[in-house]
Amino acid sequence: MAGEQGGSEDGQGAARAVARRSAVRSLVRLWPYVRPVSARLFGSAGVAVTASCLALLIPLVLKWMVDGPVAHRDPSGVWLGGGLVLLLGLLEAGLFGVRRWLIARPMAGLEARMRADLYRHLQRLPVAFHDRWGSGQLLSRGTNDLQILRMFLSFPMVFLVVNSSTVLVGFAILLVQRWSLGLMLLVPVVPLVLLCSYFESRYALASRRAQDQTGDLTTLVEESVLGIRIIKAFGRHRSQAEAFRRESHALRGTELRKARLLADLWALITAVPDVALGVALVVGAVQVADDRLSAGTLVAFLSTALALRWPVESLGWLLSMSNEAATAADRYFEVMDTGLPSETAPEPERPDADRPDADRTVRGQDGIRFSGVRFRYPDAPDGTADLLTGIDLHIPTGETLALVGATGSGKTSLTALIPRLYEATAGRITLDGADTARLTREQLRGMVSIAFEEPTLFSASVRDNVLMGAPGASDADLRWALETAQCGFVDALPHGVDTQVGEQGLSLSGGQRQRLALARAVVGRPRFLVLDDPLSALDVHTEALVEGALREVLATTTALVVAHRPSTVLLADRVALLSGGRITAVGTHHQLLADCPEYHHLMSGDTDERSAA
Amino acid sequence: MTTLADRPVDGSDEPGADPPEPARQKSDPYDRDVLPTPKGATRALLRELLRPYRARVWLAAVVLVVQQAAVQVGPLIVAYAIDRAIPALRAHDKGPLIATAVGYLGCALLAGVLQRAFIRLSGTVSQDVLLDLRGRIFRHAQALGLDFHERYTSGRIIARATSDVESFRELLSEGMQELFDVALSVLYIGLVLLYLDWALGLFALATALPLAWVMRSFHRRSRRVYTRRSAAIASVIVRFTETMNGIRPVQAFRRERDNDAAFAELNRTHERANGDAIVEMGRFNVTSWLIANTSVALVVLWGGYRVASGSLELGVLAAFVLYLRRLYGPIDPLGMFLNSWQSAAASLEKIAGLLAQRPSVPEPARPRALPVQSGDRPGRTVAFEGVRFGYRTGGEVLPRFDLSIPAGQTVAVVGATGAGKSTLAKLLCRFYDPTGGRVTLDGVDLRELTVPELRRGVVMVTQESFLFSGTVAENISLGNPDATAAEMETAAKAIGAHDFIAALPDGYDTDVRKRGGRISAGQRQLVAFARALLADPAVLVLDEATSSLDVPSERAVQQAMDTVLHGRTAVIIAHRLSTVEIADRVLVMESGRVVEDGTPAELIDGSGRFAHLHQAWRDSLV
């Protein structure tokens, strides 16, 4: 269901086409997941083989009946034969039941285990990874691909074994009974299987193409829904519908190609074995007429041949399912193989790592300190300059510093470095003297709280959304945080703080979401607080109220506040100006207004030095 | 002041009556993803979809009837060969054997050819139906009003257009032939068996009764378990997507471990339901195979007894055994078909529910054109005449509203959250229709304008600035697809967006979703402005469109606006009072009413709310 978009996907597609990976090798990687259930899996395969062979015995019993008791008019022998057929039939059905019972729940468990591992892994991969991979891409790995793998393990894999052995045993029986007739049936099998796998591989190509096109179509639908306000504001329904029509026609073309391939394939599958069977029937009839063959053998022969039809036909299909499963396994492990970043940086490598004692002495007093911090996005094209080119900045304990800079100057990126959502490319950031790179993320993120510019709420109650900032906080803390962020609207919601919000709950306005995100950031009364333009979506009235309450919170913590406007800047004790990847000025609002033309320009918009931004 | 939600809030109709135990708002059909679907809408939709292809559907049916006949006649020929051709051959009559050969081979080839024809035919029909259905959903979702979109959520519409269509596709491409094959083969085989030997035939067909019963009970039981499973996987998907989309807060607030636990719970529920579903399917298969194999054995027993006692021919018995295996052959696919039928039926019902929604803002039946403008001023007169408006769930947002904006005037609207500013803007853009009164453009009711006419008249720049995948240039030219590259660049320059766009890796051709295309919130707003400039409307509505801009960018936008808005009518919803400076007139709104109205200078010099606000704002400035 995912949109196949993003550069990484294109690259992978190409790589996949060039270097055909071995399907077997991909599937062998599933072993760690299969091992706990391997006994049952092998058991089920054994049971299935037995069941299929039992089914092949039924025609032999028929033959014995026809040539023996029936030919000799011996009704009691018929009873014996009929009883045997019944017994074999019941055994076959029962064993297939046992097979399913053996693996049903273990396979569901295997799928769940793989999904849990994927989810666990993804949550811990760096944000940069998620920038590259759309959630749809990841989701299709966590759902479709895992379903394909479960299906493969519980069905095609077992039946590849079962049907191959059934075919072998069946043809052995045919050849033993009448090798000439058996050969007649055997002749078309090899070209049939080859043709099937040829068609299946072309079909798989067309399928992949159809999947890609479906993905594009999904992207179009997603965007047309997410951007519905813009489309409506500009009356662009028709051009959107036109784009949709084009892409869905392309998809239809591919689907029709699939149908044509399928049609040819099935024409072969339907006609070829029957032609062979027809020839065998005629030749067999002649032999029976010449008394070179018993009538019972002919009946047994034909019913054996018929019983073998499905196993033969299915081989090509099973092979293509295996291919598909191998692709699914590749897609799954592609993500799982992405290494988690190491928790802490190795000891040396940092410029001022030679003063470990100094670290300790200032601990608890030093606030936030950036020294020589450089940063570029991991996916930035080669040749572009670093976004941050040497940040030196100190926010003493208890101080609130406003970070000001032109649109696109890297303010948000700088804030993301503190809780290590992105890793600085060089330099170091210390919190009360502790190098953030040497803290575990767990420790670090326990110290820092952050409110993002684009507030995200999860499908949970307002309470849970806010309290995720401070697990275990009391109701009083919750109240306090909501009041601080002026979230009075919460009480007007249908169930107050227990109202479900997020994608599956109530939709709140941008301003309301932003205030809840602010409440989340302050609820734990964190030692270090990072606010990224926390008031941008608020109107002047609300902004003034939030500012008043926020001031009290800021007085008790060390904070970095990204600010666009004077009113937000006034929350801070001092201001730092970010320009050209560096901090070019630090001072109080009034100092900078007086001394720094660029700052003056950013705050007032006057002056004609627009080029400074 | 902020107790009134500034956007419609689902189910907020009785804020005072909180039940003690918080639960999902079960009363609202939107929450349960169940839209009021008229009875029979699903059937009607299916009929309507198939109607244009009636001829081809019938043709496909005929092809399949003949094809199945060719397939099912095989064992009959075997019986003929054993009972007639062999004795004839013994009597040196080769005729029956030749007939056998020709018949068997002919049928084999015919079956193959017709199979091919049928797959092609049904493939075309089902693809055409799907094309039609996808298009309908897409166009319908686009036509539905914003009020619907805000309540139904994007995820559900996307699910309708993708996974629900997909399950219908699976039914069409894989299930349908299965069903007809089964029906026809049961029919043919039944007839042949009765013809061969009515007593044995009747007996064989009687075994279909317990089989039908097993199928029915499976159908009933599996519906429950499959519903459970699809609900379970849906929660897994929601959790998964939400975590990945919100990975920044997830990591920043160390939610990983709690999420693992919560996800494990959902995953376990799904695992259980999934296991139940597989077991249910297994139970169906085993029971039906037990019945099938038992009846084969009984036919063999009785038939063998009768052959032995001379009242049945051997060939007939052979044919019976061959036919019975065929009769029971499709049991496994039939189980799968029942599943895909169920999920497709559920999906189609949801789709029908979506399609049954009537757009709240319909296109006019008899459209009127806007009057031709006199002179060179592009602006038009806007009037709200006795307009009342309330969201479906809340009270009235605009109690009764009258406002006239002369052509060419720039009006700034200020007021607290929930005062009705955004509602005013949305009514003016006809995102909603008023519940009473009318909104006019040069005297023409907005409801009488076609979409293209309306959008030449009014265009809005919203606070949220979503970018579509594609290049920056494509995103800007959405405002006017016919504009030249030079016109687009002029618009970008006018608004101050050119500099940052030129600095992107591929300039205007940078793909906003690809590497290096990272565009900040403020920059996205500039793109949205450039788009609006390019659209060149008579009335421009700006809804808090500069919230993420820094002061210089905002200033640049305002300077551009000064020239751009010249002669145009403009309504600016402002969070920030800086915007007010370019306005000719300021409206202060409170609880859906205009409480102050005048030029900025008048209001600032007065002693009203605006003067007070403005003073506070001045103080915060430099």
Side-chain angles (χ1 to χ4, degrees), chain B residues 237-257:
Chain B
I237 288 173
V238 166
R239 186 90 198 181
F240 193 99
T241 317
E242 219 173 45
T243 307
M244 299 315 149
N245 284 334
I247 194 71
R248 281 177 179 76
V250 163
Q251 294 196 349
F253 290 99
R254 297 169 294 144
R255 300 301 296 165
E256 295 96 333
R257 231 165 285 151

Side-chain angles (χ1 to χ4, degrees), chain A residues 73 89 105 112 119 123 125 223 232 236 252 264 377 407 422 454 459 494 504 509 539 593 602, chain B residues 6 18 24 116 128 142 242-243 248 251 267 276 293 308 417 455 469 478 513 518 524 550 622:
Chain A
R73 314 266 162 193
R105 294 194 186 276
Y119 182 78
Q123 280 204 90
L125 280 171
E223 294 196 339
K232 285 202 180 288
R236 290 283 163 256
R252 173 178 176 272
D264 292 346
Y377 280 102
T407 299
Y422 293 94
E454 280 169 33
S459 293
Q504 287 200 306
S509 75
D539 62 276
L593 272 184
L602 274 174
Chain B
D6 44 9
D18 290 9
R24 302 297 313 271
R116 183 169 174 277
D128 285 343
Q142 295 280 297
E242 219 173 45
T243 307
R248 281 177 179 76
Q251 294 196 349
N267 207 12
D276 289 349
N293 282 350
T417 306
R455 291 308 162 222
S469 58
L478 199 77
R513 291 272 194 280
R518 215 169 254 135
R524 285 206 300 266
D550 56 37
V622 286

Side-chain angles (χ1 to χ4, degrees), chain B residues 449-460:
Chain B
L449 295 172
T450 61
V451 172
E453 188 80 349
L454 177 63
R455 291 308 162 222
R456 267 194 296 280
V458 191
V459 151
M460 172 159 165

Side-chain angles (χ1 to χ4, degrees), chain A residues 225-293:
Chain A
V225 174
L226 295 176
I228 186 76
R229 283 176 193 79
I230 296 171
I231 293 170
K232 285 202 180 288
F234 289 90
R236 290 283 163 256
H237 314 85
R238 283 191 182 78
S239 51
Q240 281 296 108
E242 178 56 29
F244 186 83
R245 202 188 61 81
R246 252 196 327 273
E247 301 216 344
S248 53
H249 267 277
L251 174 63
R252 173 178 176 272
T254 312
E255 288 285 354
L256 285 181
R257 191 154 66 248
K258 275 170 69 182
R260 281 196 293 274
L261 281 169
L262 212 57
D264 292 346
L265 179 67
W266 273 101
L268 283 175
I269 287 180
T270 315
V272 171
D274 254 352
V275 168
L277 206 61
V279 172
L281 172 66
V282 171
V283 173
V286 170
Q287 292 185 345
V288 173
D290 294 349
D291 285 328
R292 282 183 289 138
L293 187 73

